[in-house]
Amino acid sequence: MDGLLLFIILVYLVLHIPAFILLIVGSVKRKKNPETAKKLFIAAGIYFLIGAGICGTIMTR
């Protein structure tokens, strides 16, 4: 069962790489261009919410 949990966590992290990249880029741009950083943070948050909903739906089937 531990292998299955590890697999689920790995898949979750791989599928959320774009959101992590958006967070990193937003953090880097926060000082120079706060408006762009705010948009990147919002996009990352939306990506996390939608991705978590899709992953949760797939895992409950």
Side-chain angles (χ1 to χ4, degrees):
M1 196 60 153
D2 292 331
L4 181 61
L5 180 63
L6 182 63
F7 178 71
I8 291 171
I9 292 171
L10 182 67
V11 169
Y12 182 81
L13 290 176
V14 167
L15 293 177
H16 283 86
I17 285 175
F20 290 124
I21 292 172
L22 287 171
L23 285 174
I24 292 168
V25 172
S27 297
V28 169
K29 290 191 175 274
R30 188 172 15 161
K31 293 284 185 182
K32 289 185 180 181
N33 199 347
E35 188 172 320
T36 303
K38 183 179 177 181
K39 291 177 184 177
L40 289 171
F41 288 139
I42 291 171
I46 291 171
Y47 195 97
F48 275 124
L49 284 173
I50 291 172
I54 291 171
C55 284
T57 302
I58 291 171
M59 282 193 255
T60 59
R61 290 184 180 216

